[in-house]
Amino acid sequence: MRVNNMPSIAALLVATSSRAVTAFSTRSVAPQVVARALTARHVSSGSMPYDDDKMPIYALGLNIGMQISQQTDFKNLLEEDELEILLAGFSDCVKGEETVNPMEVLQKFGPEVNQLLRERMEGIMDKVKKDGADYIDGFVECNDDAVKTDSGLVYYSMKDGDGASPVVEDEVEVHYHGTLTDGTVFDSSVDRGATIKFKLGQVIKGWQEGLSMMKEGGKATLVIPPGLAYGDAGSGGAVPPGATLKFEVELFKVNP
């Protein structure tokens, strides 16, 4: 479902290939917002913040906020007082209560905003990469049987298999549980309760290398540096730019 004719605001987009901030557009734009199913991040046992007749409007606000947050992690990019100023600008635009001409503001300050966000994004990504590298070093140190390959992948066998090993042309059937280095689960077939089949050559390089080291019936932990995962682009709102990923993978079947 598409929700059209939303209030026109300057489009602040992050290019997924380079994570560079696109310059503010000063053209008149009427962006289309794709309404996605709302997924609660935390299950609350408390009451809703508004009466039922007001909750659809609140849900619309959540939906817009989720889409913006999936493009740019403002919570970590901006300080608390800066977030308040950002929300004030958004509110003024939506309500039509601007005290200055928005186009003049964008023309004057747009380049500075782009530079500020670019620098902060790079700073955050550098920290994420360093944390990932430290995690890999710690994992290898704490697990004597862990193997770090020339590519930087860490492979740790949890259960040896006795069947075939896949190559990139093969289809595999697996269970997996994927987390960030802080333990945040970003994807898990285990949690969904269903295995998944795919061509090995269609997934990230860390999976291609790691599963080729496994045999049917085996289970392993793969710690994958960003260069073998989603790199500087990340993956949507689930995997941050520059993130190191940890997967527990169980290989059930190899189909040539």
Side-chain angles (χ1 to χ4, degrees), residues 70-128:
Q70 286 170 357
Q71 292 185 28
T72 306
D73 187 7
F74 287 113
K75 181 178 179 181
N76 289 318
L77 284 174
L78 302 178
E79 301 293 339
E80 191 67 30
D81 60 329
E82 294 172 331
L83 275 174
E84 292 299 324
I85 297 171
L86 180 149
L87 293 174
F90 180 83
S91 176
D92 287 349
C93 185
V94 170
K95 293 179 179 178
E97 296 178 352
E98 304 96 329
T99 58
V100 291
N101 186 320
M103 304 310 293
E104 291 180 4
V105 173
L106 298 182
Q107 288 174 341
K108 182 175 182 179
F109 295 103
E112 293 181 31
V113 172
N114 292 330
Q115 180 65 23
L116 180 148
L117 293 181
R118 186 178 297 110
E119 290 175 354
R120 294 194 185 183
M121 282 177 156
E122 290 173 353
I124 289 175
M125 186 164 59
D126 288 344
K127 183 179 185 304
V128 169

Side-chain angles (χ1 to χ4, degrees), residues 13-66:
L13 303 176
V14 180
T16 55
S17 60
S18 62
R19 304 302 292 181
V21 180
T22 302
F24 277 109
S25 170
T26 56
R27 295 176 296 173
S28 176
V29 214
Q32 293 181 321
V33 180
V34 178
R36 298 176 180 173
L38 298 177
T39 303
R41 295 181 181 178
H42 302 283
V43 178
S44 173
S45 58
S47 60
M48 293 295 179
Y50 296 95
D51 293 337
D52 286 352
D53 61 335
K54 299 291 195 302
M55 282 305 298
I57 306 303
Y58 182 72
L60 175 61
L62 288 179
N63 193 33
I64 295 171
M66 287 171 62

